[in-house]
Every structure is written in C-alpha cells, then in structure tokens.
Amino acid sequence: MSEDEILVMITAIICGGTAWFCWYLPIARVDSWPPAGGIVKALCLAPLACLGGLFLVLVSAASYDVVDAPRYIVFYLAVGGAWLGLARTGLAFM
C-alpha cells in the first residue's frame, strides 16, 4: 500500500470509529425494559449487516487485485465503514 492509501485508511478508521461510536452510544443508553420489541436489535445489527454485505462483495465480486490482497479488503472495509457512519450523520440533516 502506498503512503496515500495508509493515510486514507487511518483517516477512515478515525472517522468511522467516531461515527460508529455516535451510533451505538444512544442505543446503549436505552432505558426501557424490555427494549422496544426488537428495534434495538435491528439498530445494532444494521451497520454490521451492511459491512458484512460489503465484505461478501469484496471477497467474491471485486477486482482480482482486491480479492487476492487481504490488506485491500481491510482498507475498503475501513473506508466503507467510514462512509456508512458519515452517511448516517448526513441523513440527520435531511
């Protein structure tokens, strides 16, 4: 990986980690018991399901240079996680 790609990956991990933290923190603070009928479970699993789908695409349908290089799979998962978190943040303004 080049230096630019490493910089993008570090930025994606920081941005994605912050966005995911902001996603899961309110879910962890749910006070009602029992939780609202599975909605909390769905909110917890939605981002993980999206990353799981991205992982399946990266290991099966991506370019040969991505499929054969685990470092690029991790790179694209980090960038995808960051985009997912930032898109969620952006949807709050719509």
Side-chain angles (χ1 to χ4, degrees):
M1 293 179 71
S2 70
E3 292 176 3
D4 293 338
E5 291 169 334
I6 292 172
L7 178 64
V8 168
M9 185 170 169
I10 291 170
T11 304
I13 289 171
I14 292 169
C15 290
T18 304
W20 281 55
F21 178 78
C22 292
W23 173 268
Y24 282 109
L25 185 64
I27 295 172
R29 292 183 177 173
V30 170
D31 291 332
S32 65
W33 188 257
I39 293 173
V40 174
K41 288 180 185 177
L43 286 173
C44 287
L45 293 176
L48 298 174
C50 291
L51 274 186
L54 177 60
F55 177 77
L56 290 175
V57 169
L58 289 173
V59 297
S60 62
S63 177
Y64 69 91
D65 54 344
V66 173
V67 173
D68 296 334
R71 66 179 181 251
Y72 281 112
I73 292 174
V74 172
F75 171 77
Y76 285 117
L77 281 174
V79 172
W83 273 110
L84 182 63
L86 294 174
R88 183 213 118 332
T89 304
L91 286 175
F93 295 108
M94 296 184 120

